[in-house]
Amino acid sequence: MRFFLALFFIFAPLSASATQWLKFDEKTFLVAPPSDARYLTSNQAVLVGQKCAAIIDAHGDFSALERFASEVKKRIPQPICHLFSTSSDEEQILGMMLLANEFPDATWYATSHVSQHFNEYQSALKDKLSRFEKSLQLSQSRLETHSNAQMQQRLNKAKARIDKWQSRQFSPPTLLDAAQVTLDLGGHFVVVEEIEGATLGGLSILSHHNLGLFAGLTANPIPYVQDSDLGAWLATIKKTTPI
């Protein structure tokens, strides 16, 4: 039925396929979206130490993020102590706001741009949830002329999910207290630094365990067409590329 399409993006992730968890080593997991959603959903990473773990990046698919958070809690026995946003991209920040609620004891780090414009991100989140609600209302009105118990159950679940998102309080991220900060996950040190980038600033996270560098969009060897500040992108590439 057509009204199901209006509901689908609220109730289900962008792809019905499973997210891929790739174990790089005992302290590093790379989390990739299904192949059919690779241009829609960002990659993520989970860094693990003896004391706690950290999540790098989010995306704008709230349903998929809830499933990801549930999977993290199943797979990772250590508590999540840090969340990192390598980008100031709107959808990624809105997704990280959701993850910050899923892991309320974690400290969320993002670029200073996000903190300075947090009210704008909150407005964008409100608009996104309003679109979800309007889509749900449209589906409910269409269901009135198409009695379907299974679809009504889906609508009820979608409404509960939207109500939960709308009731949450979202706090701004924490700023780095120095140009470069070293955090200890418990035998796994990571160096966090604010960098210039493609989305009005970002963060880079360097793992001492395997020298893996996580820098999101900014570290792409080829810039996106919409990148407005290629000078900042080139400076960051030169800075982060091993010689």
Side-chain angles (χ1 to χ4, degrees):
M1 295 182 182
R2 291 182 180 179
F3 62 81
F4 177 70
L5 297 177
L7 171 66
F8 183 75
F9 71 94
I10 303 173
F11 185 77
L14 289 169
S15 171
S17 305
T19 298
Q20 304 173 68
W21 279 69
L22 309 173
K23 185 177 181 179
F24 184 78
D25 57 41
E26 71 277 7
K27 296 184 179 181
T28 312
F29 293 89
L30 305 179
V31 185
S35 59
D36 54 349
R38 64 185 181 275
Y39 298 116
L40 302 172
T41 306
S42 302
N43 295 324
Q44 298 171 273
V46 181
L47 306 183
V48 181
Q50 296 173 357
K51 180 177 65 176
C52 63
I55 296 174
I56 300 176
D57 282 337
H59 49 72
D61 186 340
F62 283 13
S63 298
L65 281 176
E66 285 193 336
R67 293 176 61 178
F68 166 74
S70 177
E71 192 69 17
V72 167
K73 294 170 185 177
K74 292 178 183 177
R75 290 174 178 261
I76 309 299
Q78 297 87 336
I80 303 299
C81 54
H82 301 298
L83 303 170
F84 300 111
S85 294
T86 64
S87 167
S88 298
D89 175 76
E90 182 177 285
E91 286 297 306
Q92 293 195 35
I93 296 302
L94 299 191
M96 191 58 82
M97 291 166 68
L98 182 72
L99 280 186
N101 267 263
E102 293 287 340
F103 301 100
D105 295 329
T107 301
W108 171 28
Y109 293 96
T111 177
S112 56
H113 173 82
V114 176
S115 292
Q116 294 166 3
H117 297 268
F118 193 67
N119 288 340
E120 297 173 21
Y121 287 104
Q122 287 182 306
S123 295
L125 177 62
K126 183 178 179 180
D127 291 343
K128 181 170 184 171
L129 295 180
S130 177
R131 292 194 297 272
F132 284 177
E133 190 170 31
K134 290 178 181 178
S135 179
L136 177 62
Q137 291 172 351
L138 177 61
S139 298
Q140 288 175 325
S141 64
R142 290 178 174 176
L143 186 61
E144 292 177 358
T145 58
H146 299 82
S147 180
N148 186 312
Q150 183 179 12
M151 191 57 61
Q152 184 60 61
Q153 185 178 22
R154 289 178 178 269
L155 289 173
N156 292 340
K157 289 183 178 180
K159 184 179 186 306
R161 176 171 283 169
I162 294 172
D163 289 344
K164 178 179 65 175
W165 292 337
Q166 289 178 327
S167 67
R168 289 181 169 180
Q169 298 296 317
F170 297 96
S171 301
T174 299
L175 292 175
L176 300 179
D177 56 13
Q180 191 178 87
V181 174
T182 300
L183 301 173
D184 182 13
L185 306 180
H188 188 176
F189 293 91
V190 295
V191 178
V192 188
E193 181 178 359
E194 185 164 349
I195 56 177
E196 295 184 82
T199 59
L200 300 174
L203 298 181
S204 69
I205 298 95
L206 175 66
S207 167
H208 277 200
H209 173 66
N210 54 29
L211 298 183
L213 179 69
F214 303 85
L217 298 172
T218 303
N220 285 338
I222 300 176
Y224 283 92
V225 174
Q226 68 266 31
D227 289 351
S228 58
D229 190 350
L230 295 183
W233 163 80
L234 183 59
T236 299
I237 286 292
K238 290 181 177 179
K239 184 178 180 181
T240 57
T241 301
I243 297 176

